[in-house]
Amino acid sequence: DAMVIQNPRYQVTQFGKPVTLSCSQTLNHNVMYWYQQKSSQAPKLLFHYYDKDFNNEADTPDNFQSRRPNTSFCFLDIRSPGLGDAAMYLCATSRQRGHTDTQYFGPGTRLTVL
Amino acid sequence: AQKVTQAQTEISVVEKEDVTLDCVYETRDTTYYLFWYKQPPSGELVFLIRRNSFDEQNEISGRYSWNFQKSTSSFNFTITASQVVDSAVYFCALLIMFSGGYNKLIFGAGTRLAVHP
């Protein structure tokens, strides 16, 4: 089945220790998104790629970076995680950017910062 | 302002009861899309439905039904004969378009539904 895969499902890191979260998709979608969802809150968009075109949300901290080496994979790098970065990180994809395109989400990676 | 309001933070029902989750949205766009997603305890966001602003026809899918009313800017979701497996957080979302051609999902705060046996 075509899907959005996130690895690992659970990640524990130490304060200040860089961490990378992975997302892959078999849907061949052009757009990939990263969301941060803190406990009992709605998902918040961090950035997205339309093909190789990177778009950062204005309020996304510089501590968060992303890479998309090819259509299928997208990575979220947190350079120096703080306690406030503990959250669920959700990857999503959509076929195109337009109005009609539904975003499909992966299972998420729950990040714990010690 | 473009936003989604889900006024019900938590709802608790007993199995087999019907339950309606409210969603009110604000947008200045004439063309827009509305979504409902389900987030079970495992964490993934599961797409349930998409509705565009030109189609006010209500939709039914099994035990799920959606009532879209532009006059009141509402897109409510009803679960008939609820089951324990329906326990989850439900998010209503509005898709808006920005210049440059990219879209953005604006989520409501979510409604946590607990269905008890």
Side-chain angles (χ1 to χ4, degrees):
Chain A
D1 287 341
M3 55 199 301
V4 182
I5 303 160
Q6 289 188 247
N7 286 305
R9 294 293 309 277
Y10 300 90
Q11 176 73 57
V12 180
T13 191
Q14 292 180 333
F15 183 94
K17 185 175 180 181
V19 65
T20 295
L21 309 183
S22 169
C23 177
S24 64
Q25 52 121 346
T26 60
L27 297 161
N28 203 31
H29 282 176
N30 283 323
V31 194
M32 296 187 77
Y33 307 80
W34 279 105
Y35 288 83
Q36 179 192 61
Q37 185 182 22
K38 294 189 177 180
S39 182
S40 300
Q41 295 185 21
K44 178 180 177 296
L45 182 65
L46 295 173
F47 27 58
H48 79 277
Y49 275 95
Y50 176 60
D51 197 12
K52 291 188 181 297
D53 180 21
F54 177 72
N55 295 271
N56 203 32
E57 291 297 296
D59 56 355
T60 297
D62 293 339
N63 198 26
F64 291 85
Q65 304 287 323
S66 185
R67 296 169 283 135
R68 189 177 185 188
N70 54 52
T71 300
S72 301
F73 284 87
C74 195
F75 300 99
L76 170 61
D77 301 309
I78 308 177
R79 291 191 297 188
S80 182
L83 298 179
D85 296 327
M88 173 76 89
Y89 290 88
L90 294 161
C91 175
T93 73
S94 67
R95 189 168 52 89
Q96 295 290 349
R97 272 176 166 167
H99 273 154
T100 63
D101 292 321
T102 299
Q103 291 184 25
Y104 294 95
F105 286 80
T109 294
R110 191 172 296 280
L111 178 68
T112 300
V113 182
L114 302 177
Chain B
Q2 310 214 60
K3 69 176 186 178
V4 176
T5 302
Q6 295 179 256
Q8 304 149 307
T9 306
E10 293 190 31
I11 300 175
S12 182
V13 299
V14 176
E15 214 170 12
K16 297 183 183 176
E17 282 186 33
D18 299 346
V19 58
T20 294
L21 310 181
D22 297 333
C23 172
V24 174
Y25 63 92
E26 290 180 38
T27 180
R28 56 179 173 266
D29 295 339
T30 54
T31 301
Y32 53 88
Y33 281 77
L34 295 162
F35 297 78
W36 276 95
Y37 285 88
K38 173 183 179 180
Q39 189 173 41
S42 53
E44 75 272 24
L45 275 169
V46 179
F47 165 69
L48 295 178
I49 190 171
R50 178 184 71 218
R51 172 66 70 215
N52 75 55
S53 51
F54 298 111
D55 183 2
E56 289 194 69
Q57 192 169 12
N58 292 331
E59 182 155 339
I60 298 174
S61 176
R63 296 184 298 107
Y64 295 171
S65 61
W66 291 269
N67 184 343
F68 176 35
Q69 293 198 344
K70 287 180 74 171
S71 60
T72 56
S73 296
S74 65
F75 185 41
N76 297 336
F77 172 31
T78 297
I79 302 174
T80 303
S82 60
Q83 299 177 1
V84 172
V85 293
D86 296 327
S87 297
V89 180
Y90 291 86
F91 289 97
C92 180
L94 169 68
L95 190 70
I96 55 176
M97 179 74 90
F98 290 88
S99 61
Y102 87 95
N103 61 49
K104 182 174 180 177
L105 271 178
I106 304 296
F107 285 91
T111 297
R112 183 177 299 277
L113 174 65
V115 181
H116 303 283

